[in-house]
Amino acid sequence: MMMKTTTARLDRRQPSPRLTSFALSTFFLIVFLCALASINGVRFEGLLNMSYQNTTSPSNASLPENSTSAAALPELRVLIGIPTLPDQYHRRHFLRMVYGTQSPVGAQVDIKFVFCNLTKEDQTVLVALEIMRYDDIIILNCKENMNNGKTYTYFSSLPELLNSTDGPYPPYHYVMKGDDDTYFRLDNLVQSLRPLPREDLYYGYVIPCPSMDPFREYMSGMGYLVSWDIVEWISTSDIPKNRTEGPEDKVFGEWLRDGHRAKNRYNAKWSMYDFPQPPTGCTHELWPDTIAVHRLKNQEKWIQTLKYFNVTDKLKPSKLYHIP
Ligand SMILES: *[C@@H]1O[C@H](CO)[C@@H](O)[C@H](O)[C@H]1NC(C)=O
Ligand SMILES: *[C@@H]1O[C@H](CO)[C@@H](O)[C@H](O)[C@H]1NC(C)=O
Ligand SMILES: *[C@@H]1O[C@H](CO)[C@@H](O)[C@H](O)[C@H]1NC(C)=O
Ligand SMILES: *[C@@H]1O[C@H](CO)[C@@H](O)[C@H](O)[C@H]1NC(C)=O
Ligand SMILES: *[C@@H]1O[C@H](CO)[C@@H](O)[C@H](O)[C@H]1NC(C)=O
Ligand SMILES: *[C@@H]1O[C@H](CO)[C@@H](O)[C@H](O)[C@H]1NC(C)=O
Ligand SMILES: *[C@@H]1O[C@H](CO)[C@@H](O)[C@H](O)[C@H]1NC(C)=O
Ligand SMILES: *[C@@H]1O[C@H](CO)[C@@H](O)[C@H](O)[C@H]1NC(C)=O
């Protein structure tokens, strides 16, 4: 299938420099230590000293020139595609703030906004500018639709879109489809993925709400994730190709069932849940052990959630502003 993409680069957006610098230097320190200690048997004391030299220096300054890209790559690569519509500029801007201020340690989590072909003149300018600035948009070869195959187009296009001879393989260990009214806490997501298999995995919030059995129905559209081998299977198998109509997330579960895929499944309930108000069988109180909160349908719910998780605690003090 021919797809058009505006982006094949895998770089991340810029989180706050201080955070990035800290996270990256911590990460590179670990990679550096492991690599050098195992290969060269270098003494640790000297190395440790090096790492403290200067936190404002460039993030790869402490890497030896020799260290190959393989050693420098984050050990876990996750793509989170968030379907939106081309005109939802404000929503994307908001989500960029929410995710751009998170920097999970030791993992690359790329957030990309996914939509179908542009349809209006102004979009060709505004979306192009957005891409120039943020490079986090994937435009699939499709017409915008609900329950008409956008999920199929998304997953099945990725192997070709991300196929690159110089990039790592797989380009991502895991690919997620996330809702634009879901708040993901990327560090917690990464922590929960770390011990899981990287093959044949289907991860999410099991439907129906009371169910804890990931082998029966399917994972909720609030956000589900599969390993790269399943993405490849979706792009080549006739089973999904033949069945793209219907409620997308339910149909997704049916592909896996009919294809006898995803023998590894992980139910992330109750680390993933619906916002507590209004209470239903799918809701849970906000609590520290949270990977995702869903149904953030208005600004008030977003604010309440972001406040609960203290997301502005890391705001750096400055004479330039005062925020109570
Ligand atoms: C650590 O580095 C500083 C200079 O950056 C040096 O003065 C000190 O002796 C070093 N300590 C060790 C244990 O190597
Ligand atoms: C850290 O590095 C930056 C740029 O490399 C330099 O400007 C700054 O003076 C250094 N700070 C310290 C404390 O060495
Ligand atoms: C990392 O190193 C490469 C090659 O040495 C250099 O081109 C790049 O600018 C460096 N990046 C940072 C953030 O210092
Ligand atoms: C890089 O590593 C290779 C061996 O892996 C070694 O032969 C070479 O001298 C190293 N180069 C530098 C600049 O350290
Ligand atoms: C999407 O746009 C591309 C290039 O502009 C075009 O070739 C393709 O036919 C369009 N696809 C749909 C489904 O409209
Ligand atoms: C990836 O690219 C290679 C060569 O560029 C090609 O042979 C292969 O079929 C491509 N794979 C996909 C899934 O597009
Ligand atoms: C595709 O769908 C058609 C009609 O529903 C069916 O006859 C065919 O067996 C299906 N093929 C696969 C591979 O599921
Ligand atoms: C947010 O900060 C408050 C006050 O420091 C603390 O009591 C609370 O546990 C924090 N909440 C979370 C989810 O970390």
Side-chain angles (χ1 to χ4, degrees):
M1 188 172 294
M2 287 300 295
M3 292 299 146
K4 176 187 174 192
T5 179
T6 57
T7 173
R9 287 177 51 208
L10 307 182
D11 46 5
R12 314 172 44 181
R13 286 148 302 106
Q14 282 304 113
S16 87
R18 241 174 123 214
L19 248 182
T20 312
S21 168
F22 173 72
L24 284 179
S25 36
T26 310
F27 166 65
F28 282 126
L29 166 64
I30 292 165
V31 171
F32 183 46
L33 284 179
C34 294
L36 278 201
S38 58
I39 297 166
N40 302 333
V42 181
R43 282 179 61 233
F44 265 87
E45 291 88 325
L47 289 174
L48 279 169
N49 201 23
M50 231 180 118
S51 70
Y52 291 117
Q53 51 178 232
N54 187 341
T55 50
T56 59
S57 64
S59 52
N60 59 1
S62 61
L63 277 175
E65 213 159 298
N66 229 355
S67 127
T68 61
S69 57
L73 275 175
E75 56 186 302
L76 183 62
R77 296 182 298 276
V78 183
L79 172 66
I80 303 183
I82 302 179
T84 67
L85 296 172
D87 284 336
Q88 291 182 344
Y89 302 102
H90 288 111
R91 172 52 59 101
R92 286 198 290 280
H93 175 66
F94 177 73
L95 293 174
R96 281 187 186 111
M97 284 196 306
V98 163
Y99 294 117
T101 48
Q102 301 187 40
S103 33
V105 174
Q108 174 188 342
V109 181
D110 289 347
I111 311 274
K112 303 264 186 202
F113 299 100
V114 181
F115 38 81
C116 293
N117 275 11
L118 304 183
T119 52
K120 298 186 208 154
E121 194 69 31
D122 61 348
Q123 293 168 350
T124 62
V125 174
L126 294 174
V127 171
L129 280 173
E130 251 184 296
I131 292 166
M132 288 165 72
R133 176 64 183 84
Y134 300 107
D135 195 12
D136 60 358
I137 285 174
I138 297 176
I139 302 181
L140 301 170
N141 181 355
C142 54
K143 271 207 173 74
E144 284 304 341
N145 57 73
M146 270 285 269
N147 296 340
N148 201 18
K150 188 171 170 184
T151 299
Y152 172 73
T153 308
Y154 166 57
F155 282 103
S156 64
S157 305
L158 290 175
E160 197 190 311
L161 293 180
L162 303 176
N163 189 6
S164 140
T165 41
D166 25 277
Y169 182 87
Y172 293 100
H173 300 105
Y174 301 116
V175 173
M176 177 171 251
K177 190 193 111 177
D179 240 352
D180 69 352
D181 65 350
T182 301
Y183 171 57
F184 289 100
R185 299 178 74 218
L186 302 182
D187 227 340
N188 288 28
L189 173 66
V190 164
Q191 297 311 326
S192 80
L193 291 173
R194 226 174 265 288
L196 300 182
R198 294 191 177 176
E199 287 90 42
D200 218 15
L201 179 75
Y202 183 30
Y203 171 111
Y205 174 100
V206 172
I207 292 287
C209 296
S211 166
M212 295 304 269
D213 179 1
F215 289 91
R216 292 191 52 196
E217 298 283 327
Y218 60 99
M219 303 296 184
S220 151
M222 72 170 73
Y224 52 86
L225 168 148
V226 289
S227 49
W228 183 255
D229 56 324
I230 289 188
V231 176
E232 288 183 333
W233 175 77
I234 291 170
S235 74
T236 55
S237 168
D238 281 339
I239 292 170
K241 195 182 290 173
N242 214 13
R243 179 139 164 52
T244 57
E245 308 275 318
E248 307 226 22
D249 308 316
K250 183 161 187 287
V251 167
F252 189 98
E254 290 166 4
W255 299 337
L256 298 181
R257 181 198 63 203
D258 296 347
H260 305 289
R261 297 288 144 162
K263 67 174 181 304
N264 301 309
R265 300 191 179 202
Y266 184 82
N267 176 19
K269 201 180 287 178
W270 293 98
S271 291
M272 296 174 75
Y273 51 87
D274 282 357
F275 187 80
Q277 298 299 327
T280 68
C282 304
T283 57
H284 190 282
E285 290 309 306
L286 295 175
W287 66 317
D289 186 15
T290 295
I291 293 166
V293 186
H294 180 225
R295 291 200 189 284
L296 299 172
K297 291 288 185 201
N298 56 41
Q299 171 149 317
E300 200 189 325
K301 292 180 178 179
W302 271 104
I303 298 299
Q304 211 175 314
T305 303
L306 296 175
K307 259 195 147 140
Y308 176 84
F309 293 111
N310 295 324
V311 298
T312 60
D313 274 8
K314 290 167 287 185
L315 177 70
K316 116 180 151 210
S318 166
K319 287 189 291 191
L320 298 182
Y321 43 73
H322 39 88
I323 296 182

